[in-house]
Amino acid sequence: MFEALKSQVEKILSQEENVDTRLQLVCDLLREGVNYYDWVGFYFRNGDKEELKLGPYAGEPTDHTIIPFGKGICGQVAVSNENFVVPDVAAQDNYIACSITVKSEIVIPLLKNGENIGQIDIDSNTPDPFSEEDERFLEFVNEKVAQIL
């Protein structure tokens, strides 16, 4: 599944559309292509502020358009620069609930020239669906995205 999606991601990102359009198409592809990716979105550092701002996403609308560094899973990844896989969001103290249906989350930092400029965030309504394969795939997506930013 992920191998087929990789070539589709590369194809989308190589198009001439503007960056936000391409990122939206990637979000749509991942949400449709992986049955347990229920919400897929990009957050980016908001200028010089110590916060993340929501970029293109696919899924239910969210109130969390700005996330301070250190707050929630996304905010923690903005500080740690490390992948964060949450098999059960209910077991996390520092979790910002987007929806009562979300059971698990994976956040992968988006690095450009070694600097954390954002992240891809995926919520799942399935408990503990994410594997190392998801991590490697999403790292690949972020590497490709970084090339167009």
Side-chain angles (χ1 to χ4, degrees), residues 21-88:
T21 300
R22 287 182 276 173
L23 293 180
Q24 183 63 59
L25 290 168
V26 168
C27 290
D28 294 340
L29 171 72
L30 299 189
R31 184 166 181 246
E32 292 163 19
V34 183
N35 65 356
Y36 52 90
Y37 286 12
D38 295 297
W39 191 94
V40 178
F42 288 96
Y43 281 93
F44 292 100
R45 185 179 184 125
N46 192 9
D48 292 334
K49 298 177 185 165
E50 296 281 301
E51 65 185 24
L52 297 163
K53 186 174 184 181
L54 180 62
Y57 70 93
E60 293 295 313
T62 178
D63 293 336
H64 304 119
T65 56
I66 300 287
I67 298 177
F69 281 14
K71 188 157 173 55
I73 308 306
C74 290
Q76 290 176 73
V77 169
V79 174
S80 73
N81 298 331
E82 293 177 8
N83 296 356
F84 201 150
V85 180
V86 182
D88 177 7

Side-chain angles (χ1 to χ4, degrees), residues 62-131:
T62 178
D63 293 336
H64 304 119
T65 56
I66 300 287
I67 298 177
F69 281 14
K71 188 157 173 55
I73 308 306
C74 290
Q76 290 176 73
V77 169
V79 174
S80 73
N81 298 331
E82 293 177 8
N83 296 356
F84 201 150
V85 180
V86 182
D88 177 7
V89 295
Q92 281 294 317
D93 292 337
N94 190 3
Y95 174 69
I96 305 171
C98 288
S99 163
I100 56 167
T101 59
V102 174
K103 302 287 186 257
S104 53
E105 182 175 16
I106 185 170
V107 179
I108 307 293
L110 203 162
L111 306 172
K112 177 141 181 121
N113 302 324
E115 183 186 348
N116 187 336
I117 59 166
Q119 52 202 228
I120 190 167
D121 176 23
I122 302 193
D123 291 342
S124 179
N125 299 340
T126 305
D128 196 13
F130 304 115
S131 67

